[in-house]
Amino acid sequence: MKALMIQGTSSGAGKTLLVAALCRIFSDMGIDVAPFKSQNMSKFAYKGRGFEISQAQAVQALAARCEITPDLNPVLLKPLGEDLSAIYVGGRYRKKMRAKKYYKQTGSLLREISSAMSRLKKSHDLLVIEGAGSPAEINLQRYDIANMRIAKMAGASVLLVSDIERGGSFASLVGTMSLIETRYKSLVRGFVLNKFRGDPGILKPGIRKLYHITRVPVLGVMPMMRINLPEEDSLGARQGVWDGRHTPKIDREIDRLAQTARENLDMKKIEAMI
């Protein structure tokens, strides 16, 4: 089984929507694809028969046209305020836990994640994996169960995404590459600049210098676009459980997102990464 992983220089860089777009693109190509996110922190859940996973992975499954199962998101953290979260493992509620205690559990959670990934490998030809936060959070690298350790486990090439609307994208990409552990640097095969407004031609001098510094090519510049999909993040929003309704409308939005990605990403080079 092949795998491609989308990581970001920060939360909100656009990983979730890019995974959905790529899942639909690969599905349209006739590839049996599934999304995967080992650990997600979100107030928004999809409730299936006897399980809950992140809403984002359920939407990505619709994009991939695959079954929504607990394996798509083996660890879900629902924030409850301060540093307390409700922990769901394999789609089932386990316990409430504070961050310090949770980090001590990550080793055992890796076994759950590995098992979920193995089951997906048996039933799909391609996994498009979403990272969490940033792989350059050096204070948390020893507890990593969502970024580079998962890419290595899956044998995945990594696309690193940066939100250019916030400014500082070039510095974020260079900084992220400098802080990633040396053993993982070669996994990063391409960059994507996301949420750009205006003429992308103005970025060419920066893109050339970025390649000179990192030796990693920019494989696309995604424009800023409004996508009407269920909430993908917990920031500044109310908690909710999505039941999967309104699928036709979601499907149209995913198709629109996928078409924009086809037009703005170098899909031949991305296909070569897998």
Side-chain angles (χ1 to χ4, degrees):
M1 188 217 65
K2 300 176 181 179
L4 175 67
M5 188 165 191
I6 311 302
Q7 296 186 21
T9 58
S10 67
S11 294
K15 300 182 291 290
T16 300
L17 290 181
L18 186 55
V19 168
L22 290 170
C23 281
R24 177 52 54 93
I25 289 170
F26 288 125
S27 177
D28 285 345
M29 293 168 60
I31 297 172
D32 186 346
V33 59
F36 182 75
K37 185 164 185 173
S38 55
Q39 172 193 270
N40 202 343
M41 176 174 278
S42 176
K43 292 179 181 179
F44 295 97
Y46 167 85
K47 192 168 185 178
R49 292 187 177 180
F51 72 90
E52 286 188 39
I53 63 170
S54 168
Q55 186 170 269
Q57 275 61 68
V59 172
Q60 290 165 351
L62 293 179
R65 302 184 178 98
C66 74
E67 183 182 0
I68 302 173
T69 72
D71 287 340
L72 304 182
N73 175 213
V75 181
L76 171 63
L77 287 71
K78 285 188 178 181
L80 300 174
E82 296 298 329
D83 66 342
L84 183 68
S85 293
I87 313 299
Y88 289 73
V89 180
R92 297 178 180 275
Y93 173 76
R94 181 167 286 186
K95 63 176 71 174
K96 296 176 184 178
M97 202 176 294
R98 298 201 177 275
K100 187 175 181 179
K101 186 176 180 181
Y102 173 74
Y103 289 136
K104 294 179 180 179
Q105 309 289 314
T106 53
S108 62
L109 291 174
L110 268 176
R111 291 191 289 272
E112 304 274 359
I113 291 165
S114 178
S115 296
M117 187 185 293
S118 294
R119 288 189 290 270
L120 290 172
K121 284 181 177 181
K122 292 177 182 178
S123 54
H124 300 281
D125 297 324
L126 173 65
L127 280 189
V128 182
I129 305 171
E130 181 182 345
S134 163
E137 291 168 353
I138 54 178
N139 57 313
L140 299 176
Q141 280 177 344
R142 63 182 291 195
Y143 307 115
D144 174 32
I145 59 170
N147 288 303
M148 286 302 177
R149 189 178 292 176
I150 299 304
K152 187 74 172 179
M153 182 187 295
S157 296
V158 174
L159 266 179
L160 186 60
V161 185
S162 186
D163 176 359
I164 198 167
E165 187 192 33
R166 296 185 181 185
S169 275
F170 294 113
S172 295
L173 290 165
V174 172
T176 298
M177 290 301 295
S178 70
L179 292 175
I180 289 172
E181 293 178 73
T182 302
R183 58 181 169 157
Y184 295 136
K185 290 182 189 293
S186 64
L187 297 179
V188 181
R189 302 279 300 282
F191 297 146
V192 174
L193 297 170
N194 195 26
K195 305 181 188 178
F196 181 71
R197 301 175 189 265
D199 177 9
I202 200 171
L203 299 174
K204 287 182 179 179
I207 289 172
R208 285 194 296 269
K209 190 162 187 178
L210 181 63
Y211 180 77
H212 177 74
I213 295 169
T214 65
R215 292 317 211 192
V216 177
V218 171
L219 298 184
V221 178
M222 287 287 289
M224 173 62 75
M225 61 184 302
R226 291 185 177 275
I227 294 291
N228 187 17
L229 289 173
E231 294 284 350
E232 60 172 326
D233 204 345
S234 62
L235 296 176
R238 297 172 59 189
Q239 183 167 329
V241 175
W242 178 55
D243 60 7
R245 287 182 296 179
H246 310 302
T247 301
K249 182 178 179 181
I250 291 172
D251 212 49
R252 288 193 297 272
E253 288 294 284
I254 291 170
D255 280 336
R256 187 166 69 89
L257 175 63
Q259 184 57 35
T260 301
R262 285 188 192 95
E263 293 169 355
N264 292 280
L265 300 179
D266 191 333
M267 285 306 303
K268 287 187 178 180
K269 289 185 178 177
I270 292 173
E271 288 172 47
M273 291 168 55
I274 60 173

